[in-house]
Amino acid sequence: MNQQIDMMAVDDDRNCQAREAARRRVSWPVNLTPASVGYQSEGHAVVLGNERDVRRAARALHDLGLPPPALLFTDPVAGDEVIGGEDEALLADTASMRSQQLSRSQASTLGIEGYLGHFSVSLADEDATLNLARALADRDHFDLVLDLSETPLLALELPPPGYISLAWQDPERDDQLQALAGLVGQFDKPRYFQIDNALCAHAASGYTGCTRCLDVCPADAVRSHQGRIDAWIEIDPFRCHGVGSCSSACPTGAIQFRLPETARQQETLLAWLQAYHHAGGTVPVVRFAEAEDLASEERAAGHVLDIPLEELGAAGHDQWLTALAGGAAEVRIQCRPGMPERLAAFIDDQLAQAHALLAALGHSTSRITRMMAGDTSARDALPQEAPLDEASLVFTDSDKRARLDSVLAHLERSGTTDGQRHAMPAGAAYGGLAVDGDACTLCFSCVSNCPTPALATGVDQPQLSFREADCVQCGLCVEACPEDAITLVPGFLAAPTRRERQVQHQEEAFPCIRCGKPFASASTVATLKAKLADHPYFAGDALTRLEMCEDCRVKDVWQTMARDPEAQLKV
């Protein structure tokens, strides 16, 4: 319940001791030997922009020890000035560097792909694509890209390693040039994620479903790859910055953050809260913050338990709600200035979802708040309410959705619900569906395309059932339904029935007219007969084959061929 606390009863020294006891008892999980990816760079760079700035930067990079860069003039010189006069020394210093002047139309077709040590820079036209690394540097790829263009070619919040975009007048120009020149040699970084495509709700049978991970990556490292029929999600480990928002946004757990693993992070959070309470700590506030920010801070008040994240996006609303269900009085999300816009928007969306769920379950939305790094008053403030429940939360399943359902059920028991459906932010993975019984033929195309256990078939008779707690609102069932009989119903249902399997449509089974074996629903047989009535294969008496089971249908075909071998030639 939302019970107010007595401010005078909080003993900070005792809470500090309880916090230290919890940390000694349970260590934060650290992956000491994470999988990694490697880069190799020899320092061969391409510099883009107007001629004067490009030549200045190329000379500076060469003076810093890089091989002579390739020069690509994509913009006119500022003010339409002509290189000459005072620039004679600059021209002389860069005369031996290979260069190419591009027209405006050519510059508009310029493309950059890749990462440190493996950049492809290409120029496309109607007939072919020109590899500029091969043309200007006799190499397959460039190692580095310095983009001085007025409009950067890679307009990303987090560009790939080895790509720097700046203006020549930038006050930090020299530092950035020095950093770029230092990217020579071999480098490793963690492979932050792993993907289980069997759990992914992105696509099935040629239909597109969930795109949440694609929408939140500020590095454009998450891509949808289209095969002959199906598409699948891939994360480029060389471009990934480990922000973590794709993992937190994934409703099925198909994308798993590995520093640390999401499940271990969640279990450690619960273990800390339990150990803190057992050591006599009171009114714990869990603060999610980036480890780098925490390392530079003075010690927080005793009731503040800090979760040191590799990146803030590595924990979403499911982890925040886990903290409340595990005994925290409040949760605070510490943001920092200069966060990528996509990450900031993701945190906003996660906060909106958390607040909507808390309100639907009868809890105060003030239990989860945002704060800024450096705001010690907000960090150390005492919570306004006591923890929700002292009953321990224990996970019995490793599945992300099942764990979230356990958290929501725990919060439901400690709150008050109205049994109604509550609106959620657009795109939230909560909701039900409606099935038009008059249109549904129980073909079960929806079941075969559902990436979760939300939809299921009957055992003894044709039946379609649905468990809302498992539904992630990917829409694959809607896309796959040939009769347009399914409609998504977004919103969180604040009632125990969301965890119960509900029958959406059922019919009596249609028995085979030959052997009597039930093999389909009556509506499926009727629909097939209507759609295939004019097909030559089912002309005349052959239409009755649709009323036969698979075994009897084959027997009937062979019997017809035996009687009239040339019958098949007429089809």
Side-chain angles (χ1 to χ4, degrees), residues 437-451:
D438 293 332
C440 177
T441 63
L442 292 175
C443 69
F444 301 124
S445 178
C446 55
V447 178
S448 63
N449 284 279
C450 181

Side-chain angles (χ1 to χ4, degrees), residues 337-423:
M339 285 172 52
E341 289 184 10
R342 278 200 186 186
L343 177 57
F346 170 74
I347 297 298
D348 289 342
D349 177 70
Q350 293 293 295
L351 278 168
Q353 291 194 46
H355 288 165
L357 290 169
L358 285 174
L361 295 170
H363 298 297
S364 170
T365 59
S366 63
R367 286 188 179 272
I368 299 182
T369 57
R370 180 213 310 272
M371 57 167 290
M372 293 302 296
D375 188 347
T376 56
S377 297
R379 178 196 67 188
D380 295 337
L382 288 171
Q384 298 300 307
E385 296 170 302
L388 292 174
D389 194 348
E390 294 186 2
S392 60
L393 172 64
V394 179
F395 293 124
T396 59
D397 201 307
S398 61
D399 178 75
K400 178 178 181 178
R401 193 71 181 183
R403 288 186 168 211
L404 174 59
D405 192 38
S406 297
V407 170
L408 295 174
H410 199 89
L411 294 174
E412 183 178 327
R413 288 191 294 271
S414 61
T416 55
T417 56
D418 56 10
Q420 302 299 310
R421 187 173 300 280
H422 293 254

Side-chain angles (χ1 to χ4, degrees), residues 191-202 213-214 221-225 232-237 240 246-247 250 252-258:
R191 185 185 289 266
Y192 293 102
F193 298 95
Q194 62 185 11
I195 300 180
D196 184 351
N197 282 303
L199 297 176
C200 183
H202 174 56
C213 59
L214 297 171
V222 185
R223 300 282 182 91
S224 173
H225 290 266
W232 65 92
I233 292 293
E234 286 186 1
I235 298 179
D236 187 340
C240 173
C246 60
S247 175
C250 178
T252 64
I255 301 177
Q256 287 287 338
F257 194 65
R258 304 179 70 176

Side-chain angles (χ1 to χ4, degrees), residues 28 243-245 247-249 257 262 265 269 288-289 307 309-320 333 343 346-347 350 400:
W28 184 254
V243 171
S245 50
S247 175
S248 297
F257 194 65
T262 306
Q265 177 175 294
L269 166 60
F288 289 86
I307 304 301
L309 301 174
E310 181 80 11
E311 295 284 351
L312 192 60
H317 74 277
D318 58 324
Q319 303 253 341
W320 307 342
I333 317 304
L343 177 57
F346 170 74
I347 297 298
Q350 293 293 295
K400 178 178 181 178

